[in-house]
Amino acid sequence: MSTFQAVAVTRLYRMIADQIAGRIRAGDFPRGRRLPSERDLAEQLQVSRASIREALIALEIEGYVEVRVGTGVFVADKEGSAGAPGGGPIADAAHSADDIGPFDLLEARLIIEPECAGMAAQHATPAQLAAIREAHEGMSLTDAPGRHDREFHSAIAAACGNAALAASVAHLWNLTQSSSVYRRMQDYFVDAKVWAVAHAEHQRILAAIVARDPIRARHAMHAHLLGILARLREDFADLSHHRGDL
């Protein structure tokens, strides 16, 4: 039986996905059988569980595996049962140069957006504060909270007083929305209950900015983004309980 090779390169999740796909094609992981746990795969490949999570989502998009909520990740019963392994527009999207992993994107946001929030608390005009508040309030009144989520973060970036930082935030959001892996991960881990939590976190960010408290605004934004990271790292086996609370 062939063995995994440790990987440590750019776009790590893509390299991991390719290795697992190769093992599936070789028959090392039989169709219909559950894959080793994320923890076991991470130990074998000497990478983080976050990278394994991204790789498994990419493999599901490509049709190699199926995520069964509350049970785990299984090799697809037959070729094409969850897509078209190795081909088609969805698989091409997962290999796109712009398909940066969700956790890389969130880590970049963790570096930039807390500072934007702190600067917005210092520099936002009354009109910019109104735009941030409007985006926040709109998120609780719509069945498409993702659009208002972006508007909220974009309004904060626009209010920070630094055009380069605002452009960086816009670019990160564009990359996020073009990522097929990120979108699929949201399908599993972001539901109405999660949006309610995010809305409460936004309220704390807004309150700090309106109070002109840059330290509190930075901390509130940092806590919000860490919360997103934590929610996207929930175990697939726990999702049935998570969704059952709605």
Side-chain angles (χ1 to χ4, degrees):
M1 180 181 291
S2 60
T3 59
F4 285 118
Q5 301 174 20
V7 289
V9 296
T10 304
R11 206 61 56 83
L12 186 59
Y13 85 90
R14 184 65 261 166
M15 300 295 293
I16 295 168
D18 289 344
Q19 284 206 47
I20 296 174
R23 294 281 301 273
I24 291 172
R25 289 194 300 270
D28 294 339
F29 298 131
R31 295 193 179 278
R33 300 289 294 277
R34 187 164 60 182
L35 283 177
S37 69
E38 290 181 40
R39 185 182 303 279
D40 288 343
L41 289 170
E43 289 177 355
Q44 291 183 55
L45 285 155
Q46 301 175 35
V47 296
S48 70
R49 288 184 66 182
S51 295
I52 295 294
R53 167 65 50 80
E54 292 170 338
L56 292 175
I57 292 293
L59 288 170
E60 186 189 35
I61 291 170
E62 295 166 21
Y64 284 102
V65 303
E66 299 174 8
V67 174
R68 300 181 189 174
V69 173
T71 304
V73 180
F74 290 73
V75 179
D77 288 332
K78 59 182 180 180
E79 187 169 328
S81 63
I90 294 178
D92 290 343
H95 283 82
S96 167
D98 288 337
D99 204 9
I100 298 173
F103 295 110
D104 279 356
L105 290 166
L106 284 167
E107 286 170 1
R109 289 180 62 192
L110 267 169
I111 294 170
I112 296 173
E113 290 199 47
E115 188 60 29
C116 286
M119 294 172 69
Q122 295 174 297
H123 303 299
T125 66
Q128 289 170 331
L129 289 175
I132 297 170
R133 182 180 290 108
E134 181 180 357
H136 169 65
E137 292 174 352
M139 186 174 170
S140 64
L141 302 174
T142 180
D143 58 358
R147 177 169 63 86
H148 292 279
D149 182 37
R150 176 169 183 163
E151 289 175 356
F152 178 78
H153 287 270
S154 296
I156 292 171
C160 80
N162 185 300
L165 284 175
S168 297
V169 170
H171 182 58
L172 284 171
W173 274 87
N174 287 338
L175 289 172
T176 296
Q177 295 189 333
S178 70
S179 170
S180 57
V181 175
Y182 198 107
R183 292 196 304 272
R184 182 60 65 91
M185 198 172 287
Q186 279 193 317
D187 289 343
Y188 283 115
F189 297 100
V190 181
D191 54 22
K193 183 177 181 180
V194 169
W195 281 123
V197 172
H199 189 260
E201 293 168 349
H202 283 189
Q203 177 61 48
R204 289 190 283 273
I205 297 167
L206 173 63
I209 293 174
V210 170
R212 302 292 187 181
D213 187 335
I215 294 176
R216 185 155 59 97
R218 288 187 187 95
H219 288 171
M221 181 64 82
H222 191 263
H224 171 51
L225 294 171
L226 282 179
I228 296 172
L229 277 166
R231 291 187 281 273
L232 292 181
R233 284 173 172 152
E234 288 189 46
D235 195 286
F236 284 124
D238 294 334
L239 282 178
S240 60
H241 302 294
H242 168 76
R243 295 186 176 191
D245 289 339
L246 290 178

